[in-house]
Amino acid sequence: MPEPGSNRTPETGAFFQRDRQWHPPAFTPGYKSSVLRSPQKALVAFDNTLSELTGPVFGHAMLGELDNDLIHNFAKPGESAIGERIIVHGRVLDERGRGVPGVLLEFWQANSGGRYRHKKDGYLAPLDPNFGGCGRTITAEDGGYAFRTVRPGPYPWPNGPNDWRPAHIHFSLFGHGFAQRLITQMYFEGDPLIWRCPIVGGISNRAAIEALIAALDMQSTIPMDALAYKFDIVLRGRRSTLFENRPEGN
Amino acid sequence: MAQSLDRLKESPSQTAGPYVHIGLTPNFCDIGGVYESDLGSTMVNDQTKGERIELRVRVLDGTGTPLKDALIEIWQADAAGLYNSPAELRGTADPSFLGWGRQPTDMETGICLFRTIKPGRVPFRDRRLMAPHITLWIVARGINIGLNTRLYFSDEEKANAEDPILARIEHRARVPTLIAERQGDAYVFDVHLQGEKETVFFDS
Ligand SMILES: [Fe+2]
């Protein structure tokens, strides 16, 4: 049922087919963890049913005041996270180019030294007592979103003998249908590590990789406070239902 | 040259990585005080209608070892077969049941535990009823794009036999990979990422 107070007609068309050549395949041996974790048989395809077309709604009411401020949401009162202060902002669009409102965006990242607050991360860079590394927001009516954080550091990881992840922020996106569910990573314009990363390299199309690189956005910086990066994200679009599901002759 | 279709490409997926908990279940990995609770951790309350069930899901790699750093989300209809979603036009779902859950796999056992209700039957595109099922989305380090599959129930033999999605599976020997075994009040479901028993994953 439509959300109370909403004058939008809910969209119920099936989602555009996913372009599996554009995404990284399951098996990318340069990223060793994928070798034993990649399905080897063909996916079974079918057109969306209600189970894929539908999805839960997350209301703005669930958000806390500091949920989109990683500089402060784990910090002691009066303190803040260490690092290069940045604003990340952009729009969530669908493949038809329209802003998608009400998308739950969750993000997580290492601190400015490249260390995650996680017991499995043993990197020697220190934890920042004022940085947790998670945040979330919900897109506005035009699909827009913004959050404040520190630029994460690059970090070494056990894959090849000397592999480093480029600076990145992990993004989880929850659109309107469960079939739109997506996790990706945002990289930073100009980072030379992007083109050496085996995880990035799982994507074969250069333009697809560039779609994950946020641009420095001087017009959105706050002078004497924070730099800004613009990162737009695209979710699967819905087909128009104009001529669907009409019995012949009607 | 023809006109441009003016379409954008979906943002490419990237792995959730080993630290997915920080973003999606921070309380589970000891990042307290940022969110009150982990989203999707509780699915059912006293008011929720339907038969209480427990799902015990594991995700096994190509050596048969359970993943201990995976995260699973489930999406399902309520006991009457209605989804709690704006795109559900057939009626109003149980307001005490969102139908969405999110759980990390246990860091020692690899078991992912969902306390939920048995879903009702939902119609397929041609209005035939699908068998009761739960949609799963699985992410982890080493998984480049989230995996979609479905969990069906071993005690729904008749409904399973007429389910249009199960009927699409050409290699009939693979159908049982989607059927959770009932053990008491729990259903046990092993997802095999590879090998002879590789689970059927969907592209939809
Ligand atoms: Fe990372």
Side-chain angles (χ1 to χ4, degrees):
Chain A
M1 294 269 99
E3 241 186 310
S6 161
N7 58 2
R8 261 170 196 269
T9 315
E11 289 195 85
T12 55
F15 291 103
F16 293 169
Q17 188 189 333
R18 223 165 210 162
D19 180 354
R20 300 262 167 192
Q21 309 299 312
W22 182 255
H23 290 282
F27 178 72
T28 51
Y31 173 27
K32 292 181 182 173
S33 299
S34 76
V35 172
L36 286 169
R37 294 181 169 199
S38 42
Q40 295 165 330
K41 295 184 164 61
L43 301 177
V44 172
F46 62 89
D47 209 2
N48 293 167
T49 72
L50 271 173
S51 305
E52 293 75 35
L53 290 171
T54 52
V57 170
F58 299 99
H60 287 81
M62 66 174 250
L63 298 175
E65 209 184 319
L66 294 178
D67 281 8
N68 68 344
D69 184 354
L70 284 73
I71 291 180
H72 295 106
N73 69 10
F74 192 79
K76 289 184 252 332
E79 299 186 15
S80 57
I82 291 171
E84 180 183 325
R85 298 159 66 88
I86 59 170
I87 288 162
V88 178
H89 75 107
R91 287 176 77 203
V92 177
L93 306 160
D94 69 16
E95 288 168 291
R96 292 159 82 177
R98 301 175 304 186
V100 189
V103 175
L104 173 67
L105 272 169
E106 295 163 285
F107 16 87
W108 66 101
Q109 62 168 86
N111 68 22
S112 62
R115 173 81 182 268
Y116 283 96
R117 184 170 286 280
H118 194 286
K119 64 178 163 196
K120 295 262 179 70
D121 187 0
Y123 183 33
L124 52 79
L127 286 171
D128 175 349
N130 288 312
F131 189 73
C134 61
R136 62 186 178 187
T137 188
I138 292 176
T139 57
E141 203 51 38
D142 65 349
Y145 75 92
F147 62 96
R148 178 152 75 157
T149 186
V150 292
R151 181 180 168 123
Y155 57 85
W157 59 298
N159 187 63
N162 187 22
D163 279 329
W164 290 72
R165 292 304 323 279
H168 63 277
I169 300 177
H170 296 266
F171 276 72
S172 161
L173 292 103
F174 214 127
H176 298 176
F178 203 56
Q180 285 178 307
R181 202 72 185 83
L182 180 71
I183 279 185
T184 188
Q185 301 183 27
M186 180 196 109
Y187 303 101
F188 292 84
E189 176 182 0
D191 186 343
L193 293 171
I194 294 170
W195 306 100
R196 298 166 192 257
C197 174
I199 289 177
V200 175
I203 303 173
S204 56
N205 187 312
R206 191 180 171 98
I209 293 173
E210 285 168 347
L212 297 182
I213 303 176
L216 177 66
D217 178 6
M218 286 306 288
Q219 302 304 338
S220 297
T221 56
I222 307 176
M224 309 306 288
D225 180 341
L227 280 171
Y229 285 86
K230 181 163 185 287
F231 186 54
D232 288 341
I233 307 157
V234 181
L235 297 180
R236 293 172 74 180
R238 278 189 199 268
R239 295 206 301 258
S240 147
T241 49
L242 290 179
F243 292 95
E244 264 188 56
N245 303 323
R246 287 196 192 164
E248 288 296 316
N250 282 20
Chain B
M1 281 282 281
Q3 292 187 1
S4 161
L5 289 175
D6 254 348
R7 297 271 155 73
L8 302 175
K9 297 292 285 183
E10 186 186 12
S11 296
S13 172
Q14 292 273 265
T15 180
Y19 310 120
V20 59
H21 313 108
I22 296 175
L24 302 190
T25 56
N27 291 288
F28 170 80
C29 72
D30 303 323
I31 298 179
V34 182
Y35 311 143
E36 208 169 284
S37 62
D38 289 336
L39 213 56
S41 55
T42 308
M43 296 182 69
V44 166
N45 64 33
D46 294 347
Q47 261 77 59
T48 307
K49 298 186 190 78
E51 182 197 350
R52 269 55 182 169
I53 60 170
E54 194 176 284
L55 309 177
R56 283 187 216 138
V57 186
R58 296 190 304 166
V59 184
L60 308 166
D61 71 13
T63 70
T65 308
L67 272 56
K68 292 165 183 173
D69 54 7
L71 180 124
I72 303 178
E73 288 184 1
I74 63 173
W75 173 238
Q76 65 169 98
D78 70 4
L82 291 168
Y83 281 105
N84 197 334
S85 168
E88 173 61 89
L89 304 176
R90 297 170 300 141
T92 303
D94 180 355
S96 299
F97 187 64
L98 183 60
W100 174 74
R102 171 190 278 171
Q103 292 289 344
T105 52
D106 184 273
M107 287 191 190
E108 261 91 58
T109 64
I111 295 173
C112 200
L113 195 72
F114 292 93
R115 291 197 173 87
T116 182
I117 52 138
K118 186 111 172 256
R121 296 181 73 173
V122 175
F124 184 59
R125 301 176 66 80
D126 62 7
R127 297 181 191 152
R128 270 183 296 163
L129 288 177
M130 297 191 276
H133 66 274
I134 292 177
T135 301
L136 273 73
W137 182 73
I138 301 164
V139 293
R141 169 176 68 89
I143 295 178
N144 286 322
I145 178 163
L147 298 170
N148 296 99
T149 188
R150 285 185 176 193
L151 179 158
Y152 287 83
F153 299 90
S154 62
D155 48 0
E156 295 284 350
E157 266 178 64
K158 185 175 166 289
N160 292 342
E162 60 193 32
D163 182 84
I165 298 298
L166 292 178
R168 279 203 82 120
I169 299 168
E170 182 192 341
H171 301 99
R172 303 309 296 163
R174 301 190 65 205
V175 172
T177 67
L178 299 182
I179 298 178
E181 278 308 316
R182 180 143 202 162
Q183 293 182 6
D185 288 338
Y187 289 90
V188 177
F189 190 60
D190 278 349
V191 175
H192 295 266
L193 296 176
Q194 293 181 353
E196 229 168 278
K197 289 187 281 186
E198 182 177 313
T199 298
V200 172
F201 296 104
F202 293 116
D203 187 13
S204 179

